[in-house]
Amino acid sequence: MTDLGHYQDPLTIQRVLHSARTIAIVGLSNNELRASYFVGYYLKRHGYRVIPVNPRETQILGETCYASLLEVPVPVDVVNVFRAPDALPGIARETVAINASALWCQFGVINEEGARIAADGGVTVIMDRCLKVEHARYVGRMHWLGFNTQRITSVRAGLQ
């Protein structure tokens, strides 16, 4: 099993969140019930430019959809991946080719080869973390449903 600690550094996550303006979401769905749609919607509401990458769609969230990262006509800061782990090496190669700053792999998108390809190409890699959850933790407000951030607790230290 891959040691993911290297890909989940809080300072690296914060740096990526604060420096990003344009996020390409690979595997963004047009289905409002899918996590990728919710994340894309959330990111747009928080001021990021969201670029959908999905070969089966022409438009998602009011934005032109592209079949691959190589077709995106503008610079991309972060590539956010909602695809199966075995698709990651190819996505990592495209991420390097377009000179994106970071490759962000959502929960469960874990592939060592893909991470190595991106890192060897000078791309920051974040793996097995949700961009929306991390944004809420470090930049935005926590959603009323809450998340286990391991930072906020109702338990008072020292009380038993």
Side-chain angles (χ1 to χ4, degrees):
M1 177 152 198
T2 304
D3 175 22
L4 297 174
H6 176 72
Y7 302 115
Q8 299 175 344
D9 175 62
L11 292 177
T12 302
I13 289 170
Q14 291 174 56
R15 180 181 50 78
V16 169
L17 290 170
H18 288 293
S19 63
R21 296 290 168 257
T22 303
I23 301 172
I25 303 180
V26 178
L28 181 59
S29 173
N30 208 19
N31 180 344
E32 294 178 12
L33 300 177
R34 302 293 301 235
S36 62
Y37 185 93
F38 185 73
V39 168
Y41 179 83
Y42 172 92
L43 293 171
K44 277 191 75 163
R45 291 220 27 199
H46 283 85
Y48 293 98
R49 180 174 183 189
V50 172
I51 299 174
V53 179
N54 184 331
R56 293 185 304 254
E57 301 290 341
T58 57
Q59 191 177 63
I60 301 174
L61 292 168
E63 303 290 336
T64 301
C65 200
Y66 298 93
S68 77
L69 289 169
L70 301 175
E71 294 180 17
V72 176
V74 298
V76 172
D77 299 313
V78 177
V79 173
N80 186 4
V81 182
F82 281 91
R83 294 281 315 277
D86 61 348
L88 200 55
I91 294 167
R93 285 184 195 91
E94 290 186 8
T95 300
V96 170
I98 66 167
N99 295 311
S101 299
L103 176 65
W104 192 301
C105 306
Q106 289 292 136
F107 291 136
V109 183
I110 302 167
N111 183 297
E112 245 178 283
E113 180 188 0
R116 188 174 53 256
I117 290 166
D120 288 351
V123 175
T124 299
V125 178
I126 297 168
M127 192 174 291
D128 199 33
R129 286 286 183 253
C130 176
L131 204 155
K132 185 230 176 283
V133 171
E134 299 303 318
H135 182 274
R137 179 189 311 203
Y138 294 119
V139 181
R141 296 187 185 111
M142 294 302 290
H143 190 272
W144 65 270
L145 289 174
F147 298 100
N148 180 6
T149 64
Q150 300 173 357
R151 298 212 187 267
I152 300 171
T153 180
S154 62
V155 178
R156 293 185 185 172
L159 293 180
Q160 297 180 2

